[in-house]
Amino acid sequence: MTEIDVLISEVGPRDGLQSIDTIMSTEHKKEWIKAEAESGVREIEVGSFVPAKLLPQMADAFEIVQYAKDIPNLTVVALVPNFIGAKNAIDAGADKICLPLSVSETHSQANLRKSHDEVLEEIRKISEYIEQLEKSQRPEFEGNLSTAFGCTLEGKVSEDLVLKLGARMMELGCNEIGLSDTTGYANPNQIKRLIRLLNKEVGQENLKSMHLHNTRGLGLANALASLEEGITTLDSSLGGIGGCPFAPGASGNIVTEDLVFMLDAMGVETGIDINKLLEVTNKVQSFIPDESIYGFTKDSGLPIGYEKGWGIVRS
Ligand code: ZN
């Protein structure tokens, strides 16, 4: 496999699908994940292990993880809200589990119905559980600091608290830390500052990923700022699925196709074939015809005569 510079972690089957009304069938989810992996995407967050009564869109997470496990060259990620979810995700065979801790405690209560201490206790239990598994069975365990750049319930979020919680998650046994702009509040300067501060706190080698939303159109600017500060994994969603119902035309997560186009044109290797990726977009749109699919690259098509990395050679 080609060496890559940036790992694109597709979160559409999780973050995207959990935010729309339509429930995608298990078969269609499988087709999407397989096709996107075949376009060169190497990591996909395929589902969330939350009770089906809370998120019926994710009821088939176990089956989807089991299926995705057999796809070659794919890291299968599952979001887990607590110990029970983590245990189920590990039983299903997830390569990596990701637990969100909302820096805004108000959001934490609204989202997971837990205080910071309660979430940290779940992290401790999960680490302990992983520790006693055979080495080959152990998933990567990422602690994700959500609402790290601001919260729709609390407004500003304390950076000191971000640092404190990040350090605590590492102490409790997470293998790495991710930052999330859950609400689309971040700007590039803020992104850079927080990455630098958190790097000092947890070590740059432990802060790898950034999860961005494009709520105010700053998604790609924030992505670039993250890369300039050494982030190597960027989350994004195919077709920006999960668009905010209160902001027509604004997408939820940053759009995978646009992110890949930017990096590809810049000569940054993602391992993804942009043409194949755009075919996956059409396929997924046909699965959810009543939902909006976003993306400038999808709408405009590739430039005439486009070649990978053309932006780095003098014409
Ligand atoms: Zn998100």
Side-chain angles (χ1 to χ4, degrees):
M1 276 205 299
T2 30
E3 281 278 319
I4 55 170
D5 302 310
V6 173
L7 178 66
I8 304 289
S9 184
E10 170 65 47
V11 298
R14 197 279 301 169
D15 206 350
L17 291 185
Q18 78 174 28
S19 318
I20 61 173
D21 293 332
T22 311
I23 296 181
M24 188 181 279
S25 73
T26 305
E27 287 318 303
H28 281 162
K29 285 186 190 179
K30 289 178 180 175
E31 261 194 70
W32 170 4
I33 292 162
K34 184 160 190 286
E36 200 166 336
E38 283 170 357
S39 80
V41 172
R42 296 178 189 194
E43 183 171 298
I44 304 183
E45 193 168 286
V46 300
S48 176
F49 283 76
V50 286
K53 63 177 192 307
L54 293 180
L55 273 182
Q57 298 96 322
M58 297 290 122
D60 54 6
F62 197 97
E63 184 180 342
I64 295 289
V65 168
Q66 279 188 318
Y67 168 81
K69 274 289 281 180
D70 289 335
I71 299 173
N73 307 321
L74 181 68
T75 301
V76 180
V77 186
L79 186 134
V80 301
N82 51 32
F83 175 70
I84 301 288
K87 210 169 161 296
N88 288 335
I90 295 166
D91 284 348
D95 300 309
K96 181 173 170 183
I97 56 172
C98 187
L99 187 139
L101 169 61
S102 268
V103 181
S104 152
E105 200 153 21
T106 320
H107 182 263
S108 183
Q109 289 287 4
N111 198 28
L112 299 180
R113 284 191 235 104
K114 283 193 167 63
S115 69
H116 285 156
D117 283 344
E118 287 168 324
V119 180
L120 291 167
E121 175 57 16
E122 298 292 316
I123 292 176
R124 193 193 59 74
K125 280 199 290 190
I126 295 167
S127 303
E128 216 174 72
Y129 179 74
I130 292 175
E131 193 63 20
Q132 52 82 43
L133 293 171
E134 261 183 61
K135 272 218 164 82
S136 61
Q137 305 293 315
R138 290 179 197 168
E140 279 287 299
F141 182 21
E142 180 189 314
N144 200 285
L145 293 155
S146 56
T147 64
F149 300 91
C151 170
T152 45
L153 303 167
E154 281 189 13
K156 263 191 154 181
V157 159
S158 152
E159 287 182 337
D160 285 341
L161 190 53
V162 175
L163 306 182
K164 194 181 120 193
L165 292 173
R168 194 75 193 110
M169 286 201 288
M170 286 304 293
E171 280 167 19
L172 289 172
C174 287
N175 304 116
E176 61 177 278
I177 299 293
L179 278 170
S180 279
D181 180 22
T182 317
T183 52
Y185 276 27
N187 66 68
N189 278 345
Q190 189 186 9
I191 292 262
K192 290 189 162 211
R193 186 178 61 239
L194 196 55
I195 291 172
R196 285 177 199 167
L197 291 169
L198 194 54
N199 277 343
K200 276 192 212 144
E201 199 70 33
V202 302
Q204 182 166 7
E205 68 285 4
N206 296 318
L207 174 59
K208 291 183 185 154
S209 73
M210 181 67 75
H211 178 97
L212 297 164
H213 281 244
N214 195 36
T215 319
R216 289 170 181 79
L218 301 189
L220 287 186
N222 289 336
L224 203 51
S226 306
L227 296 178
E228 285 172 2
E229 291 302 324
I231 291 292
T232 52
T233 301
L234 291 170
D235 289 1
S236 61
S237 172
L238 193 84
I241 295 171
C244 175
F246 307 108
S251 64
N253 293 104
I254 54 171
V255 175
T256 304
E257 300 87 320
D258 292 345
L259 177 63
V260 171
F261 173 67
M262 177 179 81
L263 297 173
D264 197 73
M266 290 169 71
V268 176
E269 188 57 70
T270 62
I272 299 168
D273 180 325
I274 182 83
N275 286 297
K276 281 193 188 158
L277 185 69
L278 289 165
E279 286 166 25
V280 183
T281 313
N282 293 332
K283 188 192 277 278
V284 171
Q285 173 80 87
S286 75
F287 295 161
I288 42 171
D290 298 332
E291 300 288 347
S292 299
I293 295 259
Y294 304 101
F296 291 106
T297 311
K298 169 192 84 74
D299 288 347
S300 312
L302 294 171
I304 290 176
Y306 177 74
E307 280 170 46
K308 186 188 195 72
W310 77 345
I312 53 168
V313 288
R314 196 168 165 186
S315 52

